[in-house]
Amino acid sequence: MEEEQKLTNLEGNETKLELSVDEVVEGYVGSLGFSQVVHVLLVSLAWIFDAQSTLVTIFSDAQPPAWRCKTGLCQSNNSTGSVCGLVPGTWEWVGGHTSSIIAEWNLICDRRFLAAVPASVYFLGSLLGSAMYGHLSDTWLGRKRTVQLSCILTSITAFATSLSPNIWTYAFFRFANGFARSGIGICCLVLTTESVGRKWRGQVGQYGFFFFTLGFLTLPLVAYPTRTCWRNLYKVLSLLPLAYSVLLLPLVSESPRWLLIRGRTKEALQVLDRFARLNGKNKLPNNLTLTNPCGTTFASGNNSATTSETNKENLWTTKWAAMRMVTVMLSGFGVGFVYYGVQLNVENLNFNLYASVALNALMEIPAVLIGTFLLGFTNRRLLLSVSSYIAAVSSILCTFFSHKSKVHNNKNNDGSWSQLIVEAIGFMGASTAFDILYIYCVELFPTNVRNFAVSMLRQAIMLGASVAPLLVVLGRLSPSLSFLVFGGFAISSGVLSIWLPETRNAPLYETLKQQEDEEKHNWVSHNDCALEMGK
């Protein structure tokens, strides 16, 4: 009966084959072939610049490790090693006054709080930018052109940051850079997952996080040669996204799902046909048409009436979708708070800064590997909650170790090493939860609001990240309190997942109306089966 419904008579004896994008991918293109692997690889490269832009302040905003007196001009018998009581001009930073913004603009002593401003406003910029890019990618620009716009603006604002004459201009350009880069991650995630079959969505979504980790790992390699001038670091990093957007991104195809809901059916079929041929499959049938998610069929041209109806759907005015979005955002706030808070705190470890950042980045690799492996057969909701609880338990355990270190008054004792190990486990848990939550969000909402939903999640994560630097500063005075707060937010993120539906092996719906009808139907069918088994 189902197959008969997909075939309708046209003029004469010719038949028209009506299939959804999922059915075309599974039946004619291949769930994951060579073309999709190349597509995912090219798109995911942009995550490198996203990571570098986010974490560059670890080096550019770091306090130089040492200072020294100028010959015969100051007394260095201060037991605390502080320069706050010395006469300006009688001492200097060992690495030079251009090694970081703190050294160049003397953001120490009574100006110490100014050093935290750029990192916080960067995440606030990301929060605001996520909303704009989410709307643009779902409506006018699409996924591909939004990534291109974001990369170009990221390059421009990074270069402008290197020209900052003072801390306030620097903070403004960091805000602008955060706003600019916020379109990279959300659009790359959606653009990759919408090109593959449902079996591979989770794993493909995780591949992007490998490249984020790669950006994190390569950051010390770029920062070390420019360690004497933080401005050069920004100039080097500004070249990479510009080169990518000009040389590689034009090779990427637009999402066929987005083209479909915009009424551009002919282009969607061309993309799917290109994927099929590169995968070694036969050309798509000439009589193939794509099924409109609302229940009718798109012709090979545009269907403006149906497209207009689809565009009128609003996530916030649809009750079930709004409640689901709020739950996802609350969970994302906690995950972002813990994930970015731990990363920004790396400069407070008693190790070489460049080695510490590299080690912290390496901790993400097991998280991505674990997530990629488990997503193939584990429920999303269970994986999100368990990884959040691991991060919570580890943070709470760190409270004990920090108290032990304080009692012994020795940063190199066994307690500190134990704390470092537990922190590593907690960070891997937070990183896994961070990665899973993005994949989960992609599957929880339909195509016509998917990018907007991911952007709203990104805003919640960035809001948590913007608050995290304040807790990092507080943690220098009371480590136990900061660990308890990290643990509390991680627990809340895990608990909130209880109110989200499971999406493993579920189809990607195209519209809010379609998803609501299908989920209601599946829920009723599930209950009927349960009643039958009960009898």
Side-chain angles (χ1 to χ4, degrees):
M1 183 66 180
E2 182 180 352
E3 291 298 325
E4 293 177 359
Q5 291 176 346
K6 296 183 185 299
L7 296 172
T8 58
N9 291 326
L10 297 175
E11 296 179 1
N13 296 324
E14 189 179 0
T15 59
K16 180 171 62 176
L17 180 61
E18 301 174 14
L19 297 174
S20 66
V21 174
D22 270 328
E23 290 168 330
V24 174
V25 170
E26 299 290 348
Y28 292 91
V29 176
S31 186
L32 181 67
F34 174 77
S35 62
Q36 290 128 309
V37 170
V38 173
H39 174 84
V40 170
L41 175 63
L42 290 175
V43 174
S44 298
L45 284 171
W47 281 92
I48 294 176
F49 323 126
D50 191 44
Q52 292 174 339
S53 175
T54 302
L55 303 171
V56 63
T57 52
I58 294 176
F59 298 103
S60 63
D61 298 14
Q63 180 165 316
W67 59 273
R68 64 190 171 201
C69 289
K70 293 182 179 179
T71 307
L73 293 179
C74 75
Q75 298 294 326
S76 58
N77 58 359
N78 190 336
S79 61
T80 63
S82 173
V83 297
C84 295
L86 300 180
V87 177
T90 63
W91 60 276
E92 63 184 0
W93 297 109
V94 172
H97 74 283
T98 61
S99 60
S100 74
I101 65 167
I102 292 180
E104 181 166 344
W105 296 319
N106 287 323
L107 304 180
I108 55 175
C109 305
D110 58 342
R111 290 166 52 87
R112 186 191 309 270
F113 76 97
L114 292 178
V117 172
S120 290
V121 298
Y122 173 86
F123 288 116
L124 290 176
S126 297
L127 185 154
L128 297 176
S130 295
M132 184 197 75
Y133 283 118
H135 178 70
L136 287 177
S137 61
D138 278 337
T139 53
W140 301 334
L141 292 182
R143 284 65 161 124
K144 175 184 173 180
R145 285 188 292 176
T146 303
V147 173
Q148 191 165 36
L149 175 64
S150 186
C151 285
I152 292 173
L153 292 179
T154 298
S155 177
I156 294 172
T157 53
F159 185 81
T161 304
S162 70
L163 305 177
S164 302
N166 53 58
I167 181 61
W168 301 113
T169 307
Y170 177 80
F172 170 78
F173 282 125
R174 283 302 292 163
F175 174 86
N177 190 240
F179 189 97
R181 56 71 73 165
S182 58
I184 295 177
I186 56 177
C187 294
C188 287
L189 178 63
V190 174
L191 187 55
T192 54
T193 53
E194 288 185 342
S195 66
V196 301
R198 66 182 65 177
K199 176 183 176 182
W200 293 98
R201 286 200 309 259
Q203 291 89 331
V204 162
Q206 288 285 295
Y207 296 158
F209 299 124
F210 271 113
F211 286 90
F212 186 92
T213 302
L214 181 61
F216 196 3
L217 277 170
T218 56
L219 187 57
L221 301 180
V222 180
Y224 187 77
T226 60
R227 62 191 180 278
T228 59
C229 183
W230 64 269
R231 297 177 187 274
N232 290 339
L233 173 59
Y234 278 99
K235 289 176 182 177
V236 172
L237 294 182
S238 71
L239 298 175
L240 302 179
L242 181 61
Y244 167 79
S245 62
V246 173
L247 300 177
L248 296 180
L249 198 54
L251 304 177
V252 173
S253 299
E254 181 56 88
S255 165
R257 297 179 185 274
W258 180 81
L259 292 171
L260 174 63
I261 66 168
R262 298 299 296 173
R264 296 160 61 178
T265 316
K266 185 177 180 180
E267 295 175 62
L269 284 171
Q270 289 174 347
V271 172
L272 292 170
D273 185 64
R274 189 182 310 119
F275 282 159
R277 286 186 284 107
L278 289 175
N279 285 345
K281 305 284 186 177
N282 295 327
K283 188 179 184 296
L284 296 183
N286 293 328
N287 62 337
L288 175 64
T289 58
L290 295 175
T291 303
N292 177 5
C294 296
T296 61
T297 304
F298 279 132
S300 59
N302 292 342
N303 189 322
S304 58
T306 304
T307 303
S308 177
E309 292 176 4
T310 300
N311 292 340
K312 288 180 180 178
E313 289 192 321
N314 190 299
L315 185 150
W316 293 118
T317 58
T318 306
K319 184 177 179 181
W320 68 268
M323 293 177 62
R324 186 175 296 181
M325 190 74 256
V326 170
T327 304
V328 170
M329 291 177 68
L330 288 174
S331 181
F333 178 88
V335 170
F337 186 84
V338 178
Y339 177 75
Y340 283 107
V342 173
Q343 289 188 87
L344 294 175
N345 196 44
V346 69
E347 66 173 277
N348 294 323
L349 297 176
N350 294 319
F351 296 95
N352 177 272
L353 180 60
Y354 300 93
S356 298
V357 173
L359 289 172
N360 210 29
L362 287 172
M363 295 175 192
E364 292 214 53
I365 295 178
V368 176
L369 291 174
I370 291 170
T372 302
F373 175 71
L374 294 179
L375 276 171
F377 58 87
T378 305
N379 290 347
R380 276 64 166 143
R381 183 169 57 188
L382 176 64
L383 195 54
L384 173 62
S385 59
V386 170
S387 55
S388 297
Y389 295 148
I390 290 174
V393 171
S394 298
S395 296
I396 294 172
L397 285 176
C398 283
T399 303
F400 168 77
F401 290 117
S402 64
H403 175 72
K404 181 178 178 181
S405 297
K406 185 176 180 180
V407 170
H408 288 281
N409 194 26
N410 184 358
K411 293 183 178 181
N412 295 318
N413 60 18
D414 293 338
S416 293
W417 281 105
S418 301
Q419 184 187 46
L420 185 62
I421 294 171
V422 174
E423 276 184 324
I425 296 172
F427 177 71
M428 284 190 288
S431 181
T432 302
F434 181 91
D435 297 349
I436 298 301
L437 187 56
Y438 269 113
I439 305 300
Y440 202 6
C441 184
V442 167
E443 298 177 341
L444 283 169
F445 299 94
T447 301
N448 66 332
V449 296
R450 184 170 296 126
N451 239 86
F452 179 73
V454 176
S455 73
M456 295 305 296
L457 169 62
R458 183 66 168 258
Q459 288 183 70
I461 289 175
M462 291 302 103
L463 183 60
S466 67
V467 179
L470 302 178
L471 188 64
V472 171
V473 173
L474 180 62
R476 295 168 186 169
L477 303 175
S478 177
S480 297
L481 178 60
S482 64
F483 287 129
L484 282 175
V485 175
F486 279 134
F489 275 101
I491 290 175
S492 66
S493 296
V495 171
L496 284 167
S497 65
I498 296 174
W499 285 276
L500 295 174
E502 181 51 50
T503 60
R504 185 168 72 93
N505 291 330
L508 285 182
Y509 300 104
E510 312 300 342
T511 67
L512 289 167
K513 181 67 167 59
Q514 180 200 25
Q515 182 160 349
E516 182 177 13
D517 293 341
E518 290 292 333
E519 287 186 351
K520 282 183 179 178
H521 175 73
N522 293 337
W523 186 79
V524 171
S525 300
H526 176 76
N527 285 347
D528 289 343
C529 290
L531 289 174
E532 289 294 330
M533 292 178 65
K535 293 179 180 179

